[in-house]
């Protein structure tokens, strides 16, 4: 048996490493467009804002999502298929103030956002402490 | 199925030399060259194969390339400080980089972060996804750092500290540090269960 490695704050400086978006000398492994040419289904755009506990918009929150494709299949090798997980940083440059957007295809049978208990929705990392 | 599946990112996203932070620019970065390697494991100690490991860090002077970092220490034109690797079939990953410097961060009087490297690892399930920091052994700043000490349990806290690894040191070239990352979850074959 081995103990789990603890998590630590992502800190304020993750952008150049995880979501450089052309602003640093590094490439993105992910983007915000999950639609590949071979997928079927209705194209949708998901957008919203991220707020901190004081109701202030967070300009550089990184969101990560994953979902099944239009046939309800996951891209994971444990399922079969097309859909890929992407990540995106909300930015005033890309969209109006602190808006984040994903373009995606709705799944026919994926209820994951409601099935995952709130304490297990580990899909949002925030710079919880300044300067970390 | 949605809880058992994980991110798929296309292996083209990881290029051959993305795990060597000393060869990303025209010249070599300043600082102490180090090898950082280890295994990504599940809770039962089994290697997690073919999973994405990303890291980012300050340069040898303790300065991040991020535009928000205003620490008055020099940037290194030959060092971005970002890397990416996939684990092999046994769950092993390896980076070559520069030992990051400590830096002040203004949290309290004379606050300095111990030298650290940020890690982001996915694992095979989205629930195993972790963002953490790797530290270096015997750092005198451990006692004073509230982020390191935010992990209250000492045993757990020490799992974030890499170990000096003389066996994997490359003579006349670079010292090595080993950092194993244990993810939440047991990497059992998932059952189809919608």
């Amino acid at each position: 048996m081995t103990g789990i490695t603890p998590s630590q704050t992502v800190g304020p400086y993750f952008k150049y490493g995880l979501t450089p978006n052309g602003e640093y000398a590094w490439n993105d492994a992910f983007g915000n467009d999950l639609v590949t040419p071979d997928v079927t289904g209705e194209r949708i755009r998901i957008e919203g804002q991220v707020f901190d506990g004081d109701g202030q918009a967070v300009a550089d929150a990184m969101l990560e999502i994953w979902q099944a494709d239009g046939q309800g299949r996951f891209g994971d090798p444990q399922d079969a298929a097309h859909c890929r997980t992407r990540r995106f940083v909300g930015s005033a440059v890309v969209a109006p103030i602190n808006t984040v957007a994903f373009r995606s295809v709705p799944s026919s049978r994926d209820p994951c956002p409601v099935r995952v208990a709130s304490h297990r929705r580990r899909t949002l990392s925030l710079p919880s402490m300044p300067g970390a | 199925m949605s809880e058992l599946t994980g991110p798929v990112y296309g292996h083209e996203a990881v290029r051959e030399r993305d795990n060597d932070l000393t060869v990303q620019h025209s010249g070599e970065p300043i600082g102490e060259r180090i090898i950082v390697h280890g295994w990504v494991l599940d809770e039962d100690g089994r290697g997690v194969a073919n999973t994405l490991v990303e890291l980012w860090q300050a340069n040898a002077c303790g300065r991040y390339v991020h535009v928000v970092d205003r620490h008055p220490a020099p940037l290194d034109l030959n060092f971005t400080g970002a890397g990416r690797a996939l684990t092999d079939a046994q769950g092993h990953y390896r980076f070559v980089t520069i030992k990051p410097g400590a830096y002040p961060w203004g949290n309290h009087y004379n606050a300095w972060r111990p030298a650290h490297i940020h890690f982001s690892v996915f694992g095979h399930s989205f629930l195993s996804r972790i963002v953490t920091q790797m530290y270096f052994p015997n750092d005198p700043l451990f006692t004073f750092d509230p982020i390191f000490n935010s992990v209250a349990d000492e045993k757990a806290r020490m799992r974030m500290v890499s170990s000096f690894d003389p066996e994997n040191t490359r003579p006349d070239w670079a010292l090595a540090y080993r950092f194993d990352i244990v993810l939440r979850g047991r990497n059992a074959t998932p059952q189809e269960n919608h």
Side-chain angles (χ1 to χ4, degrees), chain B residues 134-164:
Chain B
M134 181 202 103
Y135 298 88
F136 292 87
N138 305 313
D139 195 314
L141 292 169
F142 283 163
T143 311
F144 309 102
D145 182 44
I147 294 176
F148 179 67
N149 291 294
S150 67
V151 178
D153 179 66
E154 188 186 2
K155 277 189 179 172
R157 195 161 64 237
M158 295 312 287
R159 282 184 220 122
M160 302 187 295
V161 182
S162 59
S163 56
F164 175 54

Short mmCIF file of all heavy atoms in Angstrom, two decimals, chain B residues 134-164:
data_model
loop_
_atom_site.label_atom_id
_atom_site.label_comp_id
_atom_site.label_asym_id
_atom_site.label_seq_id
_atom_site.Cartn_x
_atom_site.Cartn_y
_atom_site.Cartn_z
N MET B 134 6.61 19.50 -6.33
CA MET B 134 7.74 18.66 -5.91
C MET B 134 8.79 19.54 -5.26
O MET B 134 9.18 20.57 -5.79
CB MET B 134 8.36 17.96 -7.13
CG MET B 134 9.51 17.05 -6.78
SD MET B 134 10.64 16.72 -8.18
CE MET B 134 12.01 17.82 -7.74
N TYR B 135 9.24 19.11 -4.09
CA TYR B 135 10.28 19.86 -3.38
C TYR B 135 11.59 19.09 -3.40
O TYR B 135 11.64 17.93 -3.81
CB TYR B 135 9.83 20.11 -1.94
CG TYR B 135 8.57 20.95 -1.86
CD1 TYR B 135 7.30 20.35 -1.88
CD2 TYR B 135 8.64 22.33 -1.78
CE1 TYR B 135 6.15 21.12 -1.82
CE2 TYR B 135 7.49 23.11 -1.72
CZ TYR B 135 6.24 22.50 -1.74
OH TYR B 135 5.11 23.26 -1.69
N PHE B 136 12.65 19.75 -2.91
CA PHE B 136 13.98 19.12 -2.87
C PHE B 136 14.33 18.79 -1.43
O PHE B 136 13.93 19.50 -0.50
CB PHE B 136 15.01 20.06 -3.50
CG PHE B 136 14.81 20.23 -4.99
CD1 PHE B 136 13.94 21.22 -5.47
CD2 PHE B 136 15.44 19.39 -5.89
CE1 PHE B 136 13.72 21.36 -6.83
CE2 PHE B 136 15.22 19.52 -7.25
CZ PHE B 136 14.36 20.51 -7.73
N PRO B 137 15.10 17.70 -1.23
CA PRO B 137 15.34 17.23 0.13
C PRO B 137 16.06 18.26 0.99
O PRO B 137 16.92 19.01 0.51
CB PRO B 137 16.19 15.97 -0.08
CG PRO B 137 16.61 15.96 -1.51
CD PRO B 137 15.66 16.82 -2.26
N ASN B 138 15.70 18.29 2.27
CA ASN B 138 16.39 19.07 3.30
C ASN B 138 16.40 20.57 3.04
O ASN B 138 17.36 21.25 3.40
CB ASN B 138 17.83 18.57 3.45
CG ASN B 138 17.89 17.08 3.74
OD1 ASN B 138 17.16 16.59 4.60
ND2 ASN B 138 18.72 16.35 3.01
N ASP B 139 15.37 21.08 2.44
CA ASP B 139 15.33 22.52 2.19
C ASP B 139 15.09 23.26 3.52
O ASP B 139 14.13 22.98 4.22
CB ASP B 139 14.19 22.82 1.19
CG ASP B 139 14.30 24.23 0.61
OD1 ASP B 139 14.52 25.19 1.39
OD2 ASP B 139 14.16 24.37 -0.61
N PRO B 140 15.97 24.20 3.85
CA PRO B 140 15.80 24.91 5.13
C PRO B 140 14.55 25.79 5.18
O PRO B 140 14.16 26.25 6.26
CB PRO B 140 17.08 25.76 5.23
CG PRO B 140 17.55 25.90 3.82
CD PRO B 140 17.16 24.64 3.12
N LEU B 141 13.90 26.00 4.05
CA LEU B 141 12.71 26.85 4.02
C LEU B 141 11.43 26.09 4.34
O LEU B 141 10.37 26.69 4.50
CB LEU B 141 12.58 27.53 2.65
CG LEU B 141 13.67 28.56 2.33
CD1 LEU B 141 13.61 28.97 0.86
CD2 LEU B 141 13.53 29.79 3.23
N PHE B 142 11.50 24.77 4.43
CA PHE B 142 10.29 23.99 4.70
C PHE B 142 9.53 24.50 5.92
O PHE B 142 8.31 24.65 5.91
CB PHE B 142 10.65 22.51 4.94
CG PHE B 142 10.97 21.73 3.69
CD1 PHE B 142 11.65 20.52 3.78
CD2 PHE B 142 10.60 22.20 2.43
CE1 PHE B 142 11.96 19.79 2.64
CE2 PHE B 142 10.90 21.47 1.29
CZ PHE B 142 11.59 20.26 1.39
N THR B 143 10.27 24.76 7.00
CA THR B 143 9.65 25.15 8.26
C THR B 143 8.80 26.40 8.13
O THR B 143 7.83 26.58 8.84
CB THR B 143 10.76 25.41 9.30
OG1 THR B 143 11.67 24.31 9.27
CG2 THR B 143 10.18 25.58 10.69
N PHE B 144 9.19 27.27 7.20
CA PHE B 144 8.57 28.59 7.14
C PHE B 144 7.50 28.73 6.07
O PHE B 144 6.89 29.78 5.94
CB PHE B 144 9.66 29.65 6.87
CG PHE B 144 10.84 29.55 7.79
CD1 PHE B 144 12.02 28.96 7.39
CD2 PHE B 144 10.74 30.03 9.10
CE1 PHE B 144 13.11 28.85 8.24
CE2 PHE B 144 11.82 29.93 9.97
CZ PHE B 144 13.01 29.34 9.55
N ASP B 145 7.29 27.67 5.30
CA ASP B 145 6.43 27.81 4.11
C ASP B 145 5.02 27.30 4.36
O ASP B 145 4.79 26.10 4.53
CB ASP B 145 7.06 27.04 2.93
CG ASP B 145 6.22 27.19 1.67
OD1 ASP B 145 5.80 28.33 1.37
OD2 ASP B 145 5.97 26.18 0.99
N PRO B 146 4.03 28.21 4.36
CA PRO B 146 2.65 27.78 4.66
C PRO B 146 2.05 26.88 3.57
O PRO B 146 1.12 26.12 3.86
CB PRO B 146 1.88 29.10 4.76
CG PRO B 146 2.72 30.11 4.07
CD PRO B 146 4.14 29.67 4.19
N ILE B 147 2.56 26.97 2.36
CA ILE B 147 2.00 26.11 1.30
C ILE B 147 2.48 24.67 1.50
O ILE B 147 1.69 23.73 1.49
CB ILE B 147 2.38 26.66 -0.08
CG1 ILE B 147 1.68 28.01 -0.28
CG2 ILE B 147 1.98 25.67 -1.18
CD1 ILE B 147 2.02 28.71 -1.57
N PHE B 148 3.78 24.50 1.73
CA PHE B 148 4.30 23.17 2.04
C PHE B 148 3.59 22.60 3.28
O PHE B 148 3.16 21.44 3.30
CB PHE B 148 5.81 23.26 2.27
CG PHE B 148 6.46 21.96 2.63
CD1 PHE B 148 6.55 20.94 1.71
CD2 PHE B 148 6.99 21.76 3.91
CE1 PHE B 148 7.16 19.73 2.03
CE2 PHE B 148 7.61 20.56 4.24
CZ PHE B 148 7.69 19.54 3.30
N ASN B 149 3.43 23.45 4.29
CA ASN B 149 2.83 22.99 5.54
C ASN B 149 1.31 22.95 5.53
O ASN B 149 0.70 22.59 6.54
CB ASN B 149 3.34 23.85 6.70
CG ASN B 149 4.81 23.60 6.97
OD1 ASN B 149 5.20 22.52 7.39
ND2 ASN B 149 5.64 24.60 6.69
N SER B 150 0.71 23.30 4.39
CA SER B 150 -0.76 23.17 4.30
C SER B 150 -1.15 21.70 4.31
O SER B 150 -2.31 21.37 4.57
CB SER B 150 -1.27 23.86 3.03
OG SER B 150 -0.81 23.17 1.87
N VAL B 151 -0.22 20.82 4.03
CA VAL B 151 -0.46 19.38 4.20
C VAL B 151 -0.08 19.05 5.63
O VAL B 151 1.10 18.99 5.98
CB VAL B 151 0.37 18.55 3.19
CG1 VAL B 151 0.14 17.07 3.40
CG2 VAL B 151 0.02 18.96 1.77
N ALA B 152 -1.09 18.86 6.48
CA ALA B 152 -0.85 18.78 7.92
C ALA B 152 -0.12 17.51 8.33
O ALA B 152 0.71 17.53 9.24
CB ALA B 152 -2.19 18.89 8.67
N ASP B 153 -0.42 16.41 7.66
CA ASP B 153 0.18 15.14 8.03
C ASP B 153 1.62 15.06 7.54
O ASP B 153 1.90 15.22 6.34
CB ASP B 153 -0.64 13.99 7.43
CG ASP B 153 -0.05 12.64 7.76
OD1 ASP B 153 -0.05 12.27 8.95
OD2 ASP B 153 0.43 11.96 6.83
N GLU B 154 2.55 14.84 8.45
CA GLU B 154 3.96 14.90 8.07
C GLU B 154 4.34 13.85 7.03
O GLU B 154 5.09 14.12 6.09
CB GLU B 154 4.86 14.76 9.29
CG GLU B 154 6.33 15.02 8.92
CD GLU B 154 7.30 14.76 10.06
OE1 GLU B 154 6.86 14.32 11.13
OE2 GLU B 154 8.51 14.96 9.84
N LYS B 155 3.82 12.64 7.21
CA LYS B 155 4.14 11.58 6.23
C LYS B 155 3.65 11.96 4.84
O LYS B 155 4.36 11.78 3.85
CB LYS B 155 3.49 10.26 6.65
CG LYS B 155 4.28 9.48 7.67
CD LYS B 155 3.66 8.09 7.86
CE LYS B 155 4.45 7.27 8.85
NZ LYS B 155 3.74 6.00 9.18
N ALA B 156 2.45 12.48 4.78
CA ALA B 156 1.91 12.89 3.48
C ALA B 156 2.72 14.05 2.92
O ALA B 156 3.03 14.09 1.72
CB ALA B 156 0.45 13.29 3.64
N ARG B 157 3.08 14.98 3.81
CA ARG B 157 3.85 16.15 3.37
C ARG B 157 5.18 15.72 2.77
O ARG B 157 5.61 16.24 1.74
CB ARG B 157 4.07 17.06 4.58
CG ARG B 157 4.52 18.44 4.24
CD ARG B 157 4.27 19.37 5.41
NE ARG B 157 5.04 19.03 6.59
CZ ARG B 157 4.53 18.76 7.78
NH1 ARG B 157 3.23 18.81 7.97
NH2 ARG B 157 5.31 18.47 8.81
N MET B 158 5.82 14.75 3.39
CA MET B 158 7.13 14.32 2.90
C MET B 158 7.04 13.57 1.57
O MET B 158 8.06 13.38 0.91
CB MET B 158 7.84 13.47 3.96
CG MET B 158 8.18 14.26 5.24
SD MET B 158 8.97 15.86 4.93
CE MET B 158 10.60 15.32 4.41
N ARG B 159 5.84 13.15 1.20
CA ARG B 159 5.68 12.52 -0.11
C ARG B 159 5.84 13.53 -1.25
O ARG B 159 5.94 13.16 -2.41
CB ARG B 159 4.31 11.85 -0.24
CG ARG B 159 4.23 10.52 0.47
CD ARG B 159 2.88 9.86 0.24
NE ARG B 159 2.45 9.24 1.48
CZ ARG B 159 1.32 9.49 2.13
NH1 ARG B 159 0.44 10.34 1.63
NH2 ARG B 159 1.04 8.90 3.26
N MET B 160 5.82 14.80 -0.90
CA MET B 160 6.02 15.84 -1.93
C MET B 160 7.50 16.19 -2.08
O MET B 160 7.86 17.02 -2.91
CB MET B 160 5.23 17.10 -1.56
CG MET B 160 3.74 16.85 -1.38
SD MET B 160 2.80 18.37 -1.14
CE MET B 160 3.43 18.95 0.43
N VAL B 161 8.34 15.59 -1.24
CA VAL B 161 9.77 15.87 -1.28
C VAL B 161 10.48 14.78 -2.08
O VAL B 161 10.39 13.60 -1.76
CB VAL B 161 10.36 15.95 0.14
CG1 VAL B 161 11.85 16.30 0.08
CG2 VAL B 161 9.59 16.96 0.99
N SER B 162 11.17 15.19 -3.13
CA SER B 162 11.91 14.23 -3.94
C SER B 162 13.10 13.70 -3.14
O SER B 162 13.48 14.26 -2.12
CB SER B 162 12.40 14.91 -5.22
OG SER B 162 13.25 16.01 -4.89
N SER B 163 13.68 12.61 -3.62
CA SER B 163 14.88 12.09 -2.96
C SER B 163 16.07 12.22 -3.91
O SER B 163 15.93 12.09 -5.14
CB SER B 163 14.68 10.63 -2.55
OG SER B 163 14.32 9.85 -3.68
N PHE B 164 17.21 12.53 -3.33
CA PHE B 164 18.45 12.58 -4.12
C PHE B 164 18.73 11.17 -4.62
O PHE B 164 18.64 10.21 -3.86
CB PHE B 164 19.59 13.11 -3.26
CG PHE B 164 20.92 13.08 -3.97
CD1 PHE B 164 21.06 13.70 -5.21
CD2 PHE B 164 22.01 12.43 -3.42
CE1 PHE B 164 22.29 13.67 -5.87
CE2 PHE B 164 23.23 12.40 -4.09
CZ PHE B 164 23.36 13.02 -5.31
#
